[in-house]
Amino acid sequence: MSTPDPHAPFLPPLAELRERARVVAVPMRVRFRGVLVREALLIEGPVGWGEFSPFPEYGDREAASWLRSALEAGWHGFPEPVRQQVPVNATVPAVPAVRVEEILARFDGVGAVKVKVAERGQDLAQDLARVAEVRRLLPSAALRVDANGGWTESEALTALTELAQHRLEYAEQPVADIPGLRAVRNELRRREVPVLIAADESVRREEDPLRVAREDAADLLVIKAAPLGGVRRALDLVARAGLPAVVSSALDTSVGIRAGVALAAALPELPYACGLATVSLMEGDVTDEPLVPDGGFLPVRRVTASPALLEAFAAPADRRQWWLDRLERVHRVLAAAGG
């Protein structure tokens, strides 16, 4: 079967997507981003599996990029890699410090750790304790924090000034908007606090994903294949932004992680370990060979969903219907946009 031009708009008929779709619900080992069960709609295309799993609160227009990414994986395939494995970081959710060692034990041989901070209902003391425990356990690890835009500017400056004692590599999305990122970055420089600023939501959830680079609001970009519409669109964004990039995921099954690995493998330069090891936080997966770290790296390889695991983690009938209804709505969005 011939495959369509990856640079041309392409949208399979809705009936075909529905026929190829499988909906899964995979339990988490620990609450992450408020999620205890991760749901995803997987689609088997003619060249591979794709994942459509925007979080439930995302609107249909925003979710359209995730469907584009799934279609790229299933109908186009990925660009040629320039490396055969990618380094990854461990991810520590906003757990109490006493659970940090247990979480880190799930990530094999990683040399970098991302720690979630600024969780609603928690305070800076809890963040400091969590980060300090990571640093105690891994004194030489590259350490970064992710606030998901949860601080005000003043809170971010206070927190990052204190957290800097633990030798942070960078802080991801400390505040919610681009003017705030720029203000925090400039003030940290003025105070000579050695923490770089990374933009995540200010890239993938902005109408203009290049604005953060144009306004000099970040030192690096955190890029995710699915929210940016696929690997090729993300590669183009990085090339135009002219900033270093770290590749991350959106809490995907190994099918979705495969797209992140393809993105990281195709970048001309990869200066930072990637946030692509989050399958380690799940109780299961949809493939017999999950993409989990081996010596701190993920391999560049094909991922095929297992019929038995798709059945084992099949979502309840009402949730399957919810995802199929969402697929129909988002398909209409893409059709109206020309694919």
Side-chain angles (χ1 to χ4, degrees), residues 275-294:
L276 295 171
T278 49
V279 171
S280 297
L281 299 175
M282 294 179 167
E283 286 286 3
D285 198 9
V286 297
T287 177
D288 293 321
E289 297 181 280
L291 280 175
V292 293
D294 181 4

Side-chain angles (χ1 to χ4, degrees), residues 55-80:
F55 292 103
E57 67 269 23
Y58 289 5
D60 294 342
R61 189 158 173 259
E62 185 174 1
S65 292
W66 299 64
L67 184 54
R68 281 196 182 99
S69 181
L71 296 179
E72 178 189 51
W75 273 259
H76 300 307
F78 300 117
E80 285 297 313

